[in-house]
């Protein structure tokens, strides 16, 4: 196959792909509710729909139809009703609704000034708990509009309201009751005790990243009493009581982040945390109690997601299901039927975006949806797991997406695309979006290396912590040795190397083109998104200072570490034409980081372009507007093609 | 002192004498802006003295009056039609209201009549190449530098009598595309050739230079033909042809850009520039030619402004007028009559924010205005010029404001206030404004030391250049030796030292609290705290390069001179103030230091002023700032209750105190 008859995926199609979120199985296990949303917004606000599909298979049906954002469906314990969140009344300000599945439209239960979210049914189905942000102090009467930084802290509280047996009879809104005390932020969705007496929650000072790195695990009783159980760091999945209420499980970092996520239990009465699988070389993400002795969990292991059953007493792990036909990955969520026999989850593979799956324990998973059938009309490059030795001998892995029509023995242009996090990993899924362009490039004749260097998740704590104090140094070497490996394999053309990445991947791109002696001279083009160029200024301007402190230490302790690892320090080395992009409203890595790199490259006479996307923030889901996604994909692909003389 | 009066003080910001020397037009602004848009007024006062008349009367901005060569008309700009967008107006002094000559979307500024009075040149944004839907969409996403704003040179023909025609003349852009004309904003670095057929201008090609502080001298003909002569950086003020048309007088950097304020001439045909007064130990600001080929100029000399006559042939410098008893500052406004024998200018003194004076060259100046008589109602601290030795052998000078009611032999709490720039000098002035806290603190019982540290203006090019590559080190030595001297003199209480400043003074404050723990409180206003990130985010990166060279070539020196490198050593409670929209020094500089101090568990508070740039202009903000600064110092010296927060409660308290 030559490039001329590749069935190319055009960008206009790609920005309309349907994404899947929040898969929820009914208590009887017969139906699955899920949320879909287009990958980009055509208007000012996102549109989300709630759908239902039978667990036995069949045609899904759309359950909500507000043309606004309907999300977070939660089955009542009797399976007769679904609570959900919708901003149908006022866009951008969600409220809690209940839909009776015996017929009729959804009924609104809240009137929260700043929006309500995260509904959770009480075990007896008579109440809903939810969270909402506290109202801001009265701005009236202030005689000055100056902004005293940190003088107001936004916090969210946990509230409960009674749900009438028949919501259709409601004519005034039920009065919600505040459960959590003021002055603390409830950082997790309500997670009920099985006897309905209270919740297990994580408490922090504020929702800012810098305040949720380390939090208090606590039991919050319905009368507002807080009993602190201990400190947790890097909470990944919300804490849950065992069915008998004696034990709480959660997934969180195995020590200080960026340690790997592990599965922890603690007695509900208080006591010590137990790590169920210490030193395990994988990241525990979602989980659910099957019974008082067993937990089903999804674990990211190297480039894929596996499902395991953990014996709480022994820590032994067993496969939850029959092996999948092909490797894949899942978002960090799973849903269990009331009898603990059937599990619903989302899963993507090399050739498909996330789809809804169900599986019985010990059985074979079945795919229930086909959300993006059009993807089958296009040619995609083959994805392989590759591994190579880093300079110090450690084996490093990654995914290699081969060019469409790959012919062995021919060399191809190589794009090295670096993931963010850094505690994350490239796993098997279809890479055809604005932030993971691998298949677009494969269709244009590129091999694409998606490396999982040191610092990545899925290989245990020693691996993810190997960059602490030296972020950029070992991982950039891991990446460059992967490039050399592909050249040695005869796949990559050493004269046609390009590089890119977002967030943490943007930082490593910046690092490679400046500090790294090889990287700074070998790449023909770079695209860096929302990346750090100066760790010193980064720490003072990000919303996540204490989180980043876990990597390089606090700024006042040894700023020379931050300076040593800052790409702008070695801007004199830069030779690579570099496209720089930021969300104009990025609070995690502010655009000033981009200006620093941009000015430096201009000073050195290196070709560069800095593009800011208004109203966009940080992260994988941040580039939300359709026109922005389109512009960015065209700009990135064009930048690479032009600098390799291919356009 | 009533701070409400301070923020409403009347400041004179432009002075223009009529060609016949009989009248002086001047422009006043309030010290702060009371509404959404700036306001200003134009007044006329007879050169022989008498009441001033306000001759144009919009409620908005009436600004920068310029006499026509025949003295019959005044051109000025006004935003009377659309606030915030000034247009060019001409007022015929034979009667009637002003007539508008332009209708440009982004407004106009920087006026100059052609010598024959036929047309007016001005500075304005370039004519837009394309308009419409595509232009709108092009900003979303925003490609940085894709459409760089700049100002170009325009001319408009002035009808013989605009009152008798309904047709507005068409203005035309003669400056080249993608080239900024006129140096940094607020500087009209251009001038008409005597024949009125071309102009000499400072030109900054956008693709070649990082910002408009750097550029070329060259000429632009009325047809828009451009010829470039030579590089000239940090050009401040107009370019003036000599009366014989042979040479052009301008004020620019002396060699390296870290030493501005060097008056020089260049042949009108192009060629080498020559300093007017090599080795002059002062800093030139306003200037013009005298009839005999000599130059009259206002200069800062140490803590004072002097008007001098410079002979560009010999380099000699002598006083321009008979001396006046009271020392002054403010040598940046000077206007000559057509015969170049009478001058109008301003003088700022310890008891005046600036008043208008006239004088015949060589004679005694006469004061024509009394703009802020209320200032005499307050008891001010005595302001003295002081000098001490720093670094073993360098004489450093500055101002000392003694506390009101000073008793020799008593030690006082002491504020070290550090001026901005660094190429400024602070001398005789009221020291009562949102950025000058001297008298406010003197009335609260503080001695205030204002050092004109190395790198300051007023002592010549060498002195300005001393800090190149070392910014922070020498200035720190100078201010600390000043403090030690005051302690030795028995004036300062070593246990009650506080420090603060704005802009470069904010940088120096941040630097100082990372070098010593002798200060009990500090105020960092709009300061650089990290020279690396500052260089990448400022709108005038060349200023930083003046001191530290090309960024790509040397990041290490900048890092070594960054307060953030030493933030772990800071223990002084520090108030950090910054304008939200400051483009010169970004608010991110403030956040860096604030988060660093927080991480270090050092007491700090940060306040952001909405809508404000590098300088604070709104009245409520200026008031709030002064009260917050005074409260911060007082609280940390135990002179005010520790729990009196600087918010609403305190504001009432302070306002009540000041009214007494």
């Amino acid at each position: 196959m030559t490039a001329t008859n590749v069935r190319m995926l055009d960008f206009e199609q790609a920005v309309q792909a349907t994404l899947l979120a929040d898969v929820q199985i009914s208590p009887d296990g017969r139906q699955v509710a899920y949320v879909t949303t287009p990958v980009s917004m055509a208007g000012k606000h996102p549109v989300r729909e709630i759908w239902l599909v039978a667990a036995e298979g069949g045609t899904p049906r759309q359950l909500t139809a507000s043309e606004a954002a309907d999300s977070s469906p939660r089955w009542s314990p009797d399976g007769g009703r679904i609570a959900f969140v919708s901003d149908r009344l006022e866009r951008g300000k969600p409220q809690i609704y209940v839909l009776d599945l015996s017929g009729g439209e959804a009924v609104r239960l809240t009137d929260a000034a700043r929006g309500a979210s995260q509904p959770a049914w009480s075990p007896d189905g008579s109440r809903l708990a939810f969270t909402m942000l506290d109202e801001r102090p009265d701005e009236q009467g202030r005689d000055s509009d100056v902004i005293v930084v940190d003088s107001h802290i936004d916090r969210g509280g946990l509230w409960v309201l009674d749900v009438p047996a028949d919501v259709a009879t409601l004519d005034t809104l039920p009065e919600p009751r505040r459960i959590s005390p003021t002055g603390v932020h409830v950082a997790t969705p309500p997670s009920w005790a099985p006897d309905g007496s209270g919740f297990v929650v994580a408490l922090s000072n504020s929702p800012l990243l810098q305040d949720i790195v380390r939090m208090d695990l606590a039991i919050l009783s319905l009368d507002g009493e807080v009993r602190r159980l201990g400190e947790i760091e890097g909470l990944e999945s919300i804490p849950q009581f065992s069915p008998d209420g004696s034990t709480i499980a959660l997934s969180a970092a195995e020590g200080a982040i960026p340690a790997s996520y592990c599965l922890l239990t603690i007695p509900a009465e208080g006591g010590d945390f137990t790590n169920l699988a210490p030193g395990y070389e994988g990241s525990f993400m979602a989980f659910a109690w099957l019974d008082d002795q067993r937990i089903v969990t999804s674990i990211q292991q190297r480039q894929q997601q596996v499902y395991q059953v953990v014996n709480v007493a022994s820590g032994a792990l067993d496969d939850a299901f029959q092996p999948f036909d092909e490797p894949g990955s899942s978002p960090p969520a799973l849903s269990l039927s009331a009898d603990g026999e059937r599990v619903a989850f989302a899963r993507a593979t090399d050739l498909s975006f996330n789809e809804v799956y169900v599986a019985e324990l010990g059985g074979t998973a079945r795919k229930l949806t086909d959300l993006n059938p059009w993807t089958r009309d296009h040619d995609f490059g083959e994805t392989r797991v590759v591994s190579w030795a880093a300079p110090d001998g450690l084996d490093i892995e990654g995914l290699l997406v081969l060019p469409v029509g790959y012919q062995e023995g021919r060399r191809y242009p190589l794009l090295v695309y670096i993931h963010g996090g850094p505690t994350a990993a490239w796993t098997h899924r279809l890479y055809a979006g604005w932030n993971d362009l691998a298949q677009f490039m494969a269709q244009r004749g590129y091999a694409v290396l998606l490396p999982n260097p040191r610092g990545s998740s899925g290989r245990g704590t020693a691996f993810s912590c190997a960059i602490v104090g030296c972020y950029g140094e070992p991982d950039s070497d891991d990446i460059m040795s992967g490039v050399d490996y592909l050249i040695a394999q005869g796949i990559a053309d050493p004269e046609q190397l390009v590089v890119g990445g977002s967030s943490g991947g943007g930082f490593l791109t910046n690092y490679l083109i400046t500090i790294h002696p090889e990287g700074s001279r070998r790449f023909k083009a770079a695209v860096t998104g929302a990346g750090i160029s100066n760790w010193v200024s980064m720490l003072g301007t990000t919303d996540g200072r204490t989180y980043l402190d876990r990597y390089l230490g606090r700024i006042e302790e040894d700023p020379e570490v931050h300076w040593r690892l800052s790409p702008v320090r070695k801007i004199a080395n830069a030779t690579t034409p570099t496209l720089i992009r930021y969300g104009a409203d990025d609070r995690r890595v502010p655009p000033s980081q981009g200006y620093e790199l941009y000015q430096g490259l201009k000073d050195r006479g290196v070709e560069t372009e800095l593009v800011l996307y208004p109203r966009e923030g940080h992260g994988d889901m941040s580039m939300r507007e359709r026109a922005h996604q389109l512009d960015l994909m065209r700009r990135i692909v064009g930048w690479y093609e032009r600098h390799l003389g291919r356009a | 002192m009533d701070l409400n009066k301070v923020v409403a003080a009347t400041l004179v910001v432009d002075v223009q004498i009529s060609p016949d020397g009989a009248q002086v037009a001047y422009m006043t602004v309030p010290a702060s802006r009371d509404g959404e848009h700036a306001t200003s007024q134009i007044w006329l006062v007879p050169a022989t003295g008498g009441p001033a008349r306000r001759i144009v009367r919009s409620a908005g901005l009436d600004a920068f009056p310029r006499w026509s060569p025949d003295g019959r008309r005044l051109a000025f700009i006004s935003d009377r039609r659309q606030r915030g967008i000034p247009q060019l107006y001409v007022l015929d002094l034979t009667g009637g209201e002003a007539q508008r000559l332009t209708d440009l979307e982004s407004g106009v500024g920087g006026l100059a009549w052609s010598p024959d009075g036929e047309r007016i040149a001005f500075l304005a944004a370039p004519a837009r190449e394309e308009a419409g839907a595509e232009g709108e969409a092009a900003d979303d996403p925003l490609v940085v530098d894709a459409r760089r704003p700049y100002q170009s040179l325009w001319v408009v023909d002035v009808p013989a009598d605009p009152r008798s025609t309904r047709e507005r003349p068409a203005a035309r852009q003669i400056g080249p595309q993608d080239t900024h004309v006129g140096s940094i904003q607020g500087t009209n670095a251009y001038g008409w050739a005597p024949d009125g057929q071309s102009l000499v201008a400072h030109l900054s090609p956008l693709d070649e230079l990082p910002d408009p502080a750097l550029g070329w001298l060259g000429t632009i003909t009325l047809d828009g033909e451009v010829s470039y002569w030579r590089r000239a950086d940090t050009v401040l003020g107009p370019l003036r042809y000599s009366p014989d048309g042979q040479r052009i007088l301008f004020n620019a950097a002396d060699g390296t850009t870290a030493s501005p304020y060097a008056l020089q001439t260049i042949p009108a045909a192009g060629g080498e520039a020559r300093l007017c007064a090599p080795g002059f130990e002062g800093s030139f600001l306003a200037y013009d030619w005298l009839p005999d080929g000599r130059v009259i100029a206002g200069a800062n000399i140490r803590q004072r402004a002097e008007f001098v006559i410079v002979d560009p042939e010999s380099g000699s410098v002598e006083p321009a007028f008979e001396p006046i008893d009271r020392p002054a500052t403010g040598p940046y406004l000077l206007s000559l009559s057509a015969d170049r024998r009478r001058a109008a200018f301003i003088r700022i003194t310890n008891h005046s924010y600036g008043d208008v004076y006239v004088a015949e060259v060589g004679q005694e100046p006469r004061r024509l205005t009394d703009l802020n008589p209320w200032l005499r109602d307050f008891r001010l601290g005595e302001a003295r010029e002081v000098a001490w030795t720093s670094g073993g052998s360098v004489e450093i000078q500055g101002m000392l404001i003694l506390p009101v009611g000073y008793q020799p032999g008593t030690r006082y709490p002491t504020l070290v206030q550090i001026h901005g720039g660094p190429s400024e000098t602070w001398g005789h002035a009221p020291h009562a404004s949102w950025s000058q806290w001297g008298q406010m603190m003197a009335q609260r019982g503080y001695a205030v030391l204002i050092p004109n540290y190395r790198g300051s203006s007023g002592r010549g090019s060498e002195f300005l250049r001393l800090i190149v590559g070392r910014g922070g080190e020498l200035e720190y030595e100078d201010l600390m030796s000043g403090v030690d001297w005051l302690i030795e003199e028995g004036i300062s209480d070593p246990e009650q030292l506080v420090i603060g400043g704005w802009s470069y003074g904010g940088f120096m404050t941040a630097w100082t609290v990372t070098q010593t723990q002798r200060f009990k409180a500090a105020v960092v206003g709009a300061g650089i705290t990290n020279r690396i990130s500052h260089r990448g985010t400022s709108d005038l990166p060349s200023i930083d390069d003046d001191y530290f060279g090309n960024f790509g070539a040397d990041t290490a020196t900048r890092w070594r001179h960054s307060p953030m490198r030493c933030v772990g050593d800071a223990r002084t409670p520090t108030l950090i103030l910054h304008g939200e929209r400051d483009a010169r020094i970004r608010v991110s500089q403030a956040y860096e230091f604030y988060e660093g101090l927080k991480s270090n568990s050092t007491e700090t508070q940060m306040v952001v002023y909405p809508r404000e740039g590098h300088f604070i202009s709104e009245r409520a903000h200026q008031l709030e700032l002064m009260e917050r600064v005074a409260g911060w110092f007082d609280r940390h010296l135990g002179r005010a209750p520790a729990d009196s927060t600087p918010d609403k409660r305190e504001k009432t308290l302070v306002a009540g105190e000041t009214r007494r």
Side-chain angles (χ1 to χ4, degrees), chain A residues 347-397:
Chain A
R347 187 165 190 273
T349 65
D350 290 338
L351 296 177
S352 95
F353 297 123
N354 281 315
E355 299 284 357
V356 178
Y357 285 73
V358 292
E360 287 75 39
L361 284 180
T364 303
R366 301 183 300 279
K367 186 167 82 154
L368 298 184
T369 53
D370 187 16
L371 297 173
N372 294 288
W374 51 269
T375 53
R376 286 189 292 277
D377 300 335
H378 302 279
D379 295 317
F380 294 116
E382 182 197 333
T383 303
R384 293 179 184 169
V385 173
V386 288
S387 79
W388 62 91
D392 64 357
L394 186 69
D395 79 290
I396 304 296
E397 292 185 350

Side-chain angles (χ1 to χ4, degrees), chain A residues 145-147 149-150 534 537 540 545 556 559-560 563 569 572 595-596 598 602-603 610 612 614-615 628, chain B residues 140 142 144-145 533 535-536 551 555 559 565 591-592 594-595 598-600 606-611 621:
Chain A
D145 63 353
V146 305
I147 300 155
V149 177
D150 292 340
N534 180 346
S537 53
R545 170 166 57 83
E556 77 278 10
E560 296 299 337
W563 177 232
R569 182 177 63 91
Y595 277 95
E596 289 195 46
Y598 175 72
K602 283 208 309 187
D603 285 344
L610 171 58
L612 304 184
R615 301 174 294 283
H628 291 168
Chain B
D140 187 1
L142 175 72
V144 174
D145 291 344
S533 54
R535 177 57 175 72
F551 177 74
T555 55
W559 171 238
R565 184 177 62 81
Y591 276 104
E592 283 194 47
Y594 175 68
E595 289 292 336
K598 265 170 54 181
S599 189
N600 195 36
M606 176 169 162
V607 179
V608 177
Y609 292 87
R611 301 175 295 282
H621 290 165

Side-chain angles (χ1 to χ4, degrees), chain A residues 187-220:
Chain A
T188 46
S191 183
W192 285 89
D195 63 2
S197 63
F199 309 87
V200 56
V201 290
L203 301 176
S204 68
N205 181 49
S206 86
L208 291 178
L209 176 61
Q210 59 183 25
D211 284 333
I212 60 172
V213 170
R214 204 167 173 82
M215 297 190 285
D216 280 333
L217 184 71
I219 287 175
L220 177 63

Side-chain angles (χ1 to χ4, degrees), chain B residues 212-539:
Chain B
L214 308 180
W216 294 74
L217 292 184
T219 55
I220 303 174
T221 68
L222 286 181
D223 300 326
E225 275 175 48
V226 180
S227 60
Y228 290 94
W229 291 350
R230 71 181 274 274
R231 273 294 290 275
D233 297 333
T234 323
V235 172
L236 300 165
L239 308 176
R240 297 195 192 274
Y241 273 86
S242 57
D244 64 4
Q246 294 302 299
R247 296 190 77 80
I248 293 153
L249 176 66
F250 67 105
N251 193 11
D254 172 7
T256 78
T257 47
S259 45
Y261 314 117
L263 212 48
Q264 37 205 305
T265 63
I266 183 171
E272 284 307 301
R274 211 169 65 203
L275 290 179
C276 292
F280 175 62
E281 293 200 350
S283 299
F284 290 109
L285 283 148
Y287 48 89
D288 205 344
W289 294 94
L290 291 175
D292 58 3
R294 291 187 302 161
V295 168
I296 181 168
N300 276 318
I301 301 174
R302 306 194 172 212
Q303 285 68 241
R304 302 181 182 208
E306 306 284 357
F307 286 90
V308 294
I309 294 171
V310 183
D311 183 348
E313 294 305 316
S314 69
S316 71
V317 178
E318 59 189 80
F321 308 118
E322 290 285 319
I324 302 188
D325 51 354
R326 192 169 264 177
T329 57
Y332 40 79
L333 297 176
L334 175 71
S335 172
L336 291 186
S337 59
D339 65 5
R340 300 174 187 273
R341 297 191 191 281
R342 181 177 281 182
F345 51 92
I346 69 158
R347 302 179 83 245
I348 296 170
T349 70
N350 294 326
H351 296 87
S352 161
Y353 284 99
D355 279 295
V356 179
Y357 286 72
V358 289
E360 283 67 39
V361 174
Q363 307 292 306
E364 190 178 341
R366 301 185 296 278
R367 181 166 60 81
L368 299 183
T369 60
D370 184 14
L371 295 174
N372 295 285
W374 55 268
L375 194 55
R376 288 190 291 271
D377 298 343
F378 294 96
R379 267 187 83 196
L380 301 178
E382 183 195 336
R384 292 183 184 167
E385 292 181 43
V386 290
W388 63 93
T389 303
S390 175
S393 59
V394 186
E395 188 197 52
I396 300 300
Q397 302 191 349
M399 298 298 294
L400 172 66
I401 299 174
L402 290 168
V404 173
Y406 173 70
Q407 301 284 336
T410 306
R411 288 184 184 273
Y412 291 88
T414 300
L415 163 66
V416 180
Q417 182 166 22
I418 313 170
H419 69 69
S423 52
E424 284 181 24
T425 178
W426 279 10
H428 295 274
H431 294 284
S433 73
W434 70 272
S435 64
Q436 304 193 326
W437 308 323
Q439 291 294 353
M440 173 174 79
M441 299 315 292
Q443 295 196 331
R444 287 167 176 257
Y446 290 64
V448 181
L449 177 66
I450 300 164
N452 287 320
Y453 48 82
R454 276 172 278 185
S456 299
S457 62
R459 292 184 64 178
S461 300
E462 273 313 307
F463 197 78
L464 284 164
R465 281 197 290 260
L466 287 173
I467 60 171
V468 169
R470 303 186 66 179
E473 295 172 37
L474 302 177
E475 305 91 304
Y476 173 70
E477 197 172 69
D478 294 346
L479 68 94
M480 292 311 289
S481 56
V483 168
D484 289 338
W485 172 77
L486 279 181
I487 292 168
E488 237 169 76
E489 292 287 303
I491 295 171
S492 292
D493 178 348
E495 298 305 316
Q496 295 200 71
L497 303 174
V498 297
I499 188 168
W502 200 264
S503 192
Y504 199 84
F507 157 71
M508 274 311 302
T509 302
W511 179 255
T512 298
V513 297
T514 64
Q515 306 300 309
T516 179
Q517 295 174 15
R518 287 176 68 185
F519 294 95
K520 296 289 186 293
V523 178
V524 174
I528 296 165
T529 65
N530 178 345
R531 293 201 162 275
I532 301 293
S533 54
H534 168 64
R535 177 57 175 72
T537 54
S538 171
D539 70 335

